[in-house]
Amino acid sequence: MATMVQAIRMALHVGEERHGVTDVFGEDIGPPLGGAFTQTQGIKTSWNSPLDERGIVGMAIGLALAGQRPVAEIQFCDYAFNTIDLLKLAGAMHWSSAGDWKCPMVLMTPVGAGIRGSIYHSHSFDAQATRLAGWKIVCPSNPRDAYGLMLSAIVDPNPVMYLMPKALLRVKGRPGEEVPGEPGDDKALSKMIDQPPGGDRSKWRPEWPKLEDLFIPIGKASIVRPGKHVTIVTYGRDVLMALGAAEEAAKDGTDVEVIDLRSLHPYDWDAIKTSVKKTNRVIFVNEDTEITNFGEHLLRRTVEELFYELHAPPKLVAGKHVPGIGLADSLEHASVPQKATILAAIRETAAHVP
Amino acid sequence: MTATLTPEKKNGSHKELSPELLLQMHDTMVKARVLEERLITMYKQGDGYFWIGGPGEEAFGVPLGMLVQKGHGPEYDYLHLHYRGSPTIMAMGADPVDSLRQMKNTASDPYSRGRNFCCHYSIEKWNVVPVSSPIEVQYSMAPGTALANKRALGGKGTGITIVTGGDAGTAEGDFATCLIWSSRKGHELPVLIIVTNNLYGISTPYEGQHGETKISDRGKPFGMQTLTVDGNDPEVSYQALAAAMDYVRTERKPFLLEVMVSRLYGHSSASGANFVANETDCLAKFEQKLIDRKLITRERADTIRATYNQELLDASKKVREEPQPKPESIWDHVFADTAGNGAPKGSS
Ligand SMILES: Cc1ncc(C[n+]2csc(CCOP(=O)(O)OP(=O)(O)O)c2C)c(N)n1
């Protein structure tokens, strides 16, 4: 079973072989490293850019305007903050020109905590990203979705931001989360597509499995655990956290439905609505700081449109509004949602008597 | 600050420009000037909310537009202009009435359908990238289209990327981005980097903001060809642009060109949009030169101006009656793959 990072790599390979990707670039994206997380090893069109995030976004926009298909990377989303006006520009290109120009680019960037990244390798980007009208925003939680969302992002005619949950990059999929065409054996896959560390990397070439196309539609959520009593709406790293909490809650007889949004924008309101109408209780979970949080928007809409469906106050479990995520385990755990925090929220919501 | 052709370029200068070309240049300069004056009048009469444009830059902008390899796609030139680009767009053959439409933010404005300020052009079929307000961002995008230019026709194309902006904006990191990304050894890009230096950023004088002697010097550490020229003389501009473009087209490498220009009506309507008498008027100067050389008469020059004046006055009256965009059109073109009002509205 592939890991998420292998899945991304395979999607980029399929993207450049079959779907017109012309450039995969960013800091340390080309040989010899192939990405800080190995996500671009063996990609033919990969190249190393100057260490200039604004330049990376500008280059991607220019390439996209001129009919190329770029996939650019910001090495950590923590370093995307100084590109915000260029991101706005990409999102505005089609609208401000009243449909004259298109800007089909993919911007991928690792997000979130969970790798002991301290203050500047643990940020989330959800709130900033979802404020960029004109962009589509996706965030996978497993290798299959990572593969299928990347391919959808690549063929999309709009700018698409691809948020990679750092903590999940090396996590293998569960049954049913395979990349279509990957060999069943992990070791065989690793031998084929993982660049051996050290030595002369310039001679290494990957041997790609026969991969099939898979397009996970942007804007469609997935119900990763059906349940009757409480809905959790989340994405990325917190999908696994929520599933863990749901297993615990099941032991006391609380049946939790977990929705993996997969796309933050456009998002699958129908999936949320259907689930809330069924369970009447909902918790939104994400890692970003809680003030002006994307989950707050979902919560607001829930209150406005589903008020009379609710049997308990809807909840937001999010990161603490502090400037960074501290390095020590104790600090990180106190800053972003953990299984225990989510479980406590489930219990409170489930126990609420209207 | 004096603006001169550097000696090495003077020696290698092109042959004299033909009388026909000079007259064509003059005609377009008049057209562009009359357009700007009409836009200012519209603003002052309440037929627009804001004016910003390029009066005083015609002697540079018109030759630029005349020399552009105009077309669609990376075999042709890409233009990343700022908000003073009307002379260039006019020289490329755009209809000045469309500029009036953008001024009046009508639904018929082809550049933005009433969404953007005047002189914020977007012409996809001619590779004119949307002009946007944030200063200098065009310099970060230019290397991207230049890379596509470089790849076009299997590397045999002659299309280049042209980016323009003002002097004050060069303090932004995006200007450095452009220098760096276009000059990487072995990966040089065919981009003509232009700075129009009018010695002001809104109210802040050039003096006191720059450590470099000339802005064009900033290209030197990157191994770039550089030049500072008098942009108030259309013959000098034309020659300099032709030489610089020729270099970029054939060498497929960047060139940094600084053009000294006037700001004839101040920064924008925010500063009054009134004629500034102590700035060089490139059009008046050029006209006198053509009269002295007996290429045109005063009467003929006046007639050209009066004719454009009348045309645009009449057009502005018509444009005034054209419908404004419909409120629900805000949802059009949010995404490229959901047409018209089918676009996802609001938050989902
Ligand atoms: C990033 C950014 N900062 C500030 C402004 C406001 N602003 C508009 S024009 C301008 C001055 C630009 O001067 P210069 O680059 O010399 O160009 P000029 O207008 O003189 O042609 C400023 C500060 C802006 N539009 N964008």
Side-chain angles (χ1 to χ4, degrees):
Chain A
M1 180 83 69
T3 60
M4 186 184 285
V5 78
Q6 287 173 323
I8 292 170
R9 215 188 292 155
M10 289 191 277
L12 292 173
H13 164 69
V14 171
E16 66 182 3
E17 287 296 325
R18 298 208 281 270
H19 301 296
V21 168
T22 53
D23 298 86
V24 178
F25 69 101
E27 293 155 16
D28 308 297
I29 281 295
L33 191 62
F37 294 90
T38 73
Q39 63 277 33
T40 51
Q41 287 181 348
I43 297 300
K44 278 193 311 205
T45 58
S46 68
W47 52 277
N48 291 324
S49 77
L51 204 169
D52 173 15
E53 287 76 19
R54 291 183 65 81
I56 290 169
V57 176
M59 167 60 69
I61 297 173
L63 285 169
L65 294 178
Q68 312 287 295
R69 280 274 167 177
V71 178
E73 188 192 77
I74 302 292
Q75 200 164 57
F76 292 90
C77 80
D78 310 59
Y79 310 119
F81 289 83
N82 75 335
T83 71
I84 288 277
D85 65 323
L86 289 169
L87 299 178
K88 275 192 74 170
L89 197 68
M93 203 61 76
H94 189 65
W95 190 89
S96 66
S97 66
D100 198 23
W101 285 87
K102 288 189 179 75
C103 192
M105 57 181 273
V106 180
L107 186 71
M108 54 180 189
T109 188
V111 297
I115 60 156
R116 298 180 170 87
S118 91
I119 301 172
Y120 276 100
H121 304 81
S122 306
H123 269 289
S124 292
F125 207 63
D126 321 358
Q128 276 79 11
T130 49
R131 287 192 58 74
L132 296 166
W135 279 81
K136 296 185 180 178
I137 316 293
V138 301
C139 182
S141 72
N142 67 68
R144 184 180 174 85
D145 284 355
Y147 180 82
L149 284 171
M150 179 57 88
L151 287 180
S152 291
I154 284 168
V155 299
D156 201 277
N158 300 285
V160 181
M161 199 178 301
Y162 185 95
L163 306 177
M164 306 190 274
K166 273 180 230 112
L168 300 186
L169 286 174
R170 310 232 183 268
V171 175
K172 288 189 203 306
R174 297 165 303 165
E177 293 174 349
E178 297 83 2
V179 170
E182 67 164 292
D185 177 17
D186 297 354
K187 285 217 182 70
L189 179 65
S190 175
K191 223 171 156 205
M192 291 169 82
I193 69 165
D194 291 342
Q195 177 175 279
D200 182 4
R201 294 163 167 203
S202 63
K203 301 230 161 48
W204 176 78
R205 296 283 176 276
E207 185 200 326
W208 298 103
K210 281 206 168 31
L211 297 161
E212 293 161 31
D213 279 349
L214 170 70
F215 297 97
I216 304 274
I218 296 178
K220 281 263 11 106
S222 137
I223 295 171
V224 287
R225 185 187 196 283
K228 295 195 290 286
H229 302 133
V230 177
T231 299
I232 292 185
V233 180
T234 186
Y235 44 86
R237 178 188 181 206
D238 284 334
V239 170
L240 296 195
M241 292 264 187
L243 284 173
E247 289 315 314
E248 290 292 316
K251 291 177 192 159
D252 331 326
T254 305
D255 190 11
V256 177
E257 176 145 305
V258 179
I259 297 181
D260 177 359
L261 224 39
R262 302 196 290 195
S263 297
L264 281 64
H265 195 80
Y267 59 83
D268 193 344
W269 178 246
D270 283 345
I272 298 173
K273 190 164 70 179
T274 307
S275 181
V276 172
K277 281 186 166 172
K278 178 173 72 175
T279 64
N280 313 105
R281 293 164 201 265
V282 61
I283 304 168
F284 299 95
V285 182
N286 68 64
E287 285 184 278
D288 205 349
T289 48
E290 64 185 331
I291 296 183
T292 320
N293 177 290
F294 173 57
E296 283 187 340
H297 161 72
L298 299 176
L299 199 151
R300 186 270 288 170
R301 195 164 175 196
T302 302
V303 171
E304 284 187 2
E305 295 186 27
L306 302 171
F307 188 76
Y308 292 108
E309 306 288 343
L310 294 170
H311 294 178
K315 263 188 167 312
L316 173 69
V317 177
K320 298 293 182 290
H321 194 68
V322 291
I325 289 165
L327 178 59
D329 267 359
S330 54
L331 303 180
E332 178 168 318
H333 291 170
S335 301
V336 294
Q338 304 296 319
K339 197 168 100 177
T341 350
I342 300 171
L343 183 59
I346 293 171
R347 288 189 170 140
E348 200 185 319
T349 303
H352 188 89
V353 181
Chain B
M1 171 180 285
T2 50
T4 49
L5 273 168
T6 57
E8 63 271 19
K9 286 289 150 188
K10 235 182 210 159
N11 296 340
S13 97
H14 295 235
K15 58 183 185 309
E16 293 224 331
L17 305 179
S18 71
E20 296 74 41
L21 187 82
L22 294 176
L23 289 176
Q24 187 197 342
M25 205 142 73
H26 169 260
D27 188 279
T28 314
M29 285 171 67
V30 176
K31 186 199 245 184
R33 176 67 60 83
V34 169
L35 168 63
E36 295 286 10
E37 288 172 350
R38 177 54 48 197
L39 293 171
I40 291 170
T41 305
M42 284 177 75
Y43 163 75
K44 290 188 173 173
Q45 294 178 343
D47 284 325
Y49 298 115
F50 179 70
W51 168 81
I52 193 159
E57 294 198 3
E58 296 87 353
F60 148 75
V62 167
L64 175 62
M66 291 170 76
L67 287 161
V68 162
Q69 198 167 297
K70 186 176 94 178
H72 181 252
E75 305 93 83
Y76 298 93
D77 294 353
Y78 283 96
L79 284 132
H80 299 258
L81 302 174
H82 67 320
Y83 41 75
R84 304 206 193 277
S86 290
T88 302
I89 298 297
M90 289 307 114
M92 289 173 75
D95 182 354
V97 180
D98 285 336
S99 303
L100 307 186
R101 295 189 163 108
Q102 194 173 36
M103 183 62 174
K104 184 68 190 159
N105 38 262
T106 60
S108 55
D109 147 32
Y111 306 125
S112 69
R113 307 275 165 213
R115 291 171 180 192
N116 217 340
F117 288 147
C118 73
C119 303
H120 285 54
Y121 296 100
S122 166
I123 312 175
E124 203 254 0
K125 65 174 195 260
W126 293 347
N127 283 352
V128 177
V129 169
V131 174
S132 72
S133 292
I135 296 291
E136 223 66 4
V137 291
Q138 68 273 28
Y139 289 85
S140 279
M141 295 187 282
T145 52
L147 180 51
N149 286 134
K150 191 174 176 173
R151 289 173 179 165
L153 302 173
K156 295 202 169 60
T158 52
I160 65 171
T161 285
I162 299 154
V163 55
T164 71
D167 48 295
T170 61
E172 298 275 7
D174 299 276
F175 186 71
T177 287
C178 194
L179 298 176
I180 290 164
W181 286 67
S182 59
S183 64
R184 298 187 301 142
K185 293 266 180 288
H187 305 282
E188 291 88 347
L189 296 175
V191 51
L192 175 55
I193 307 168
I194 299 175
V195 178
T196 50
N197 187 348
N198 59 23
L199 301 176
Y200 285 100
I202 306 188
S203 70
T204 305
Y206 179 95
E207 284 307 319
Q209 299 293 343
H210 294 262
E212 72 273 35
T213 307
K214 286 186 289 179
I215 290 175
S216 64
D217 289 344
R218 290 184 63 188
K220 290 190 170 141
F222 296 91
M224 267 179 217
Q225 293 286 315
T226 66
L227 185 63
T228 297
V229 292
D230 179 6
N232 275 322
D233 182 334
E235 294 175 272
V236 171
S237 286
Y238 190 99
Q239 303 276 24
L241 281 162
M245 279 186 181
D246 187 45
Y247 172 85
V248 179
R249 286 195 203 292
T250 51
E251 297 298 316
R252 315 307 282 159
K253 285 184 179 165
F255 191 114
L256 175 54
L257 179 66
E258 178 184 14
V259 190
M260 305 305 294
V261 294
S262 290
R263 206 176 61 167
L264 225 41
Y265 283 83
H267 175 73
S268 69
S269 55
S271 53
N274 297 315
F275 189 77
V276 184
N278 61 357
E279 293 261 351
T280 303
D281 180 344
C282 61
L283 180 56
K285 230 175 111 182
F286 186 47
E287 226 162 63
Q288 193 53 52
K289 215 187 224 178
L290 295 180
I291 292 168
D292 293 347
R293 289 194 211 157
K294 305 217 176 331
L295 289 174
I296 198 169
T297 60
R298 166 57 49 208
E299 294 66 40
R300 173 74 194 132
D302 289 349
T303 306
I304 294 174
R305 191 183 272 247
T307 308
Y308 280 129
N309 233 332
Q310 192 60 46
E311 274 174 28
L312 288 182
L313 172 63
D314 294 345
S316 72
K317 288 179 186 158
K318 290 206 186 92
V319 164
R320 210 184 279 159
E321 305 309 320
E322 290 177 0
Q324 293 283 296
K326 293 203 163 58
E328 62 272 21
S329 73
I330 61 167
W331 299 110
D332 294 349
H333 312 299
V334 174
F335 287 125
D337 54 347
T338 33
N341 289 330
K345 288 188 183 157
S347 34
S348 77

